Amino acid sequence: MSQNVNVVEIFSSIQGEGQFVGYRQVFVRLAGCNLECEFCDTPSSRTMVNSAQIEKTAGRRDFQTIVNPISLIELSNYINSLLVIPHHSVSFTGGEPLCQAKALAKILPQIKGRIYLESNGTLPTELELVLPHIDIISMDIKLPSIIRQEMWQEHSKFLRLAATRNVFVKIVVTGSTNTKEFLKAVNLIASVDENIPLIIQPVTPINNCEGVKPDTVLLYQEQALSSLNDVRVIPQTHKFIGQL
Ligand code: SF4
């Protein structure tokens, strides 16, 4: 395991989004991203960083600063040491964790817990490298008006691969979401499997981002339910309970 990884932070907390909301997880936030979303909620993770903040004791916020890049052996030791108390899973997040897929493929077999991947769903070739080691995939579908480019083909390939695991899809909606794009995303999911859960996530209205109106959210859910069997609306909960 000679490869190194650029890490932003590692800590234990509560999953605040999606189908597994409320579960205790170790979060491993990797640096780098292939997209430039409007309203990015982790802008400091989009590029490589000089050092990582790593919690020494799960949930105690006693962070130590470790210089990047970190060797795979060191990284797996940091992660596994937080798993001494029970956790549901280890969430690899970002940025976009698949930007470091080759290193991930080597480290995942060393982790002593379920693996949960949070991805923007646009790097199917990289997903293939790590797929055998992944238990749960939280896949975003990024609407073109948010990322200023179309990624439908990439999303479709990604979801077909991800559907061989436990996968759910998350779509963030804002006050300026394009309804046609939202419906195209719903159809894309249904074309793979109508039983794949869809989480509609109303954007947290910060950074001048326009929140989505309550009646519009109901309409989105109703429209999605005409093609999919499991459609839920879940906001980012960790932000209003003061969790990282
Ligand atoms: S994919 Fe995630 S980290 Fe990358 S720009 Fe979009 S919101 Fe930010």
Side-chain angles (χ1 to χ4, degrees):
M1 291 209 298
S2 60
Q3 214 156 355
N4 293 332
V5 191
N6 194 288
V7 179
V8 178
E9 54 188 359
I10 302 173
F11 57 94
S12 165
S13 192
I14 298 163
Q15 175 56 250
E17 300 179 359
Q19 191 185 0
F20 292 81
V21 67
Y23 279 114
R24 188 71 176 253
Q25 290 184 322
V26 169
F27 290 83
V28 182
R29 189 180 304 288
L30 301 186
C33 186
N34 59 321
L35 298 181
E36 287 183 30
C37 302
E38 205 178 359
F39 315 124
C40 173
D41 61 355
T42 51
S44 55
S45 310
R46 275 160 58 173
T47 51
M48 298 295 130
V49 291
N50 293 331
S51 59
Q53 296 301 310
I54 298 182
E55 204 172 42
K56 289 190 234 170
T57 321
R60 297 295 185 273
R61 306 298 181 246
D62 51 354
F63 288 97
Q64 56 186 325
T65 301
I66 304 292
V67 173
N68 271 318
I70 298 174
S71 75
L72 297 184
I73 290 172
E74 259 185 298
L75 182 55
S76 58
N77 286 341
Y78 288 130
I79 296 167
N80 287 331
S81 72
L82 295 182
L83 293 172
V84 292
I85 68 162
H87 284 78
H88 173 268
S89 46
V90 178
S91 172
F92 284 83
T93 185
E96 171 48 56
L98 291 178
C99 286
Q100 300 190 68
K102 281 187 184 159
L104 262 187
K106 288 186 183 160
I107 197 171
L108 293 181
Q110 314 304 320
I111 304 302
K112 297 180 176 142
R114 273 194 213 101
I115 305 295
Y116 179 107
L117 176 72
E118 297 197 52
S119 173
N120 63 28
T122 60
L123 297 173
T125 307
E126 288 77 0
L127 176 64
E128 274 187 289
L129 293 178
V130 300
L131 199 59
H133 311 296
I134 305 284
D135 297 293
I136 301 165
I137 301 175
S138 165
M139 172 193 169
D140 278 8
I141 291 188
K142 300 286 189 183
L143 302 182
S145 51
I146 299 288
I147 55 175
R148 304 175 198 97
Q149 57 181 314
E150 299 218 347
M151 293 293 229
W152 298 117
Q153 280 194 356
E154 290 81 356
H155 279 320
S156 179
K157 273 191 205 161
F158 189 102
L159 186 54
R160 283 176 200 285
L161 288 167
T164 62
R165 294 289 179 277
N166 185 352
V167 63
F168 69 91
V169 174
K170 181 157 60 68
I171 302 177
V172 176
V173 292
T174 74
S176 50
T177 291
N178 176 317
T179 304
K180 274 192 189 158
E181 290 179 358
F182 175 80
L183 293 176
K184 189 162 179 176
V186 168
N187 288 335
L188 185 154
I189 302 165
S191 72
V192 177
D193 185 345
E194 62 193 13
N195 291 315
I196 292 173
L198 168 63
I199 309 297
I200 299 172
Q201 182 174 294
V203 74
T204 307
I206 51 172
N207 302 334
N208 297 325
C209 172
E210 187 191 347
V212 56
K213 292 198 181 98
D215 53 349
T216 309
V217 171
L218 287 174
L219 199 58
Y220 285 144
Q221 189 181 35
E222 184 184 321
Q223 288 171 327
L225 279 166
S226 68
S227 315
L228 298 171
N229 294 325
D230 183 356
V231 182
R232 297 174 235 175
V233 176
I234 304 176
Q236 281 186 310
T237 63
H238 54 295
K239 298 215 167 152
F240 56 74
I241 57 170
Q243 294 294 340
L244 288 176

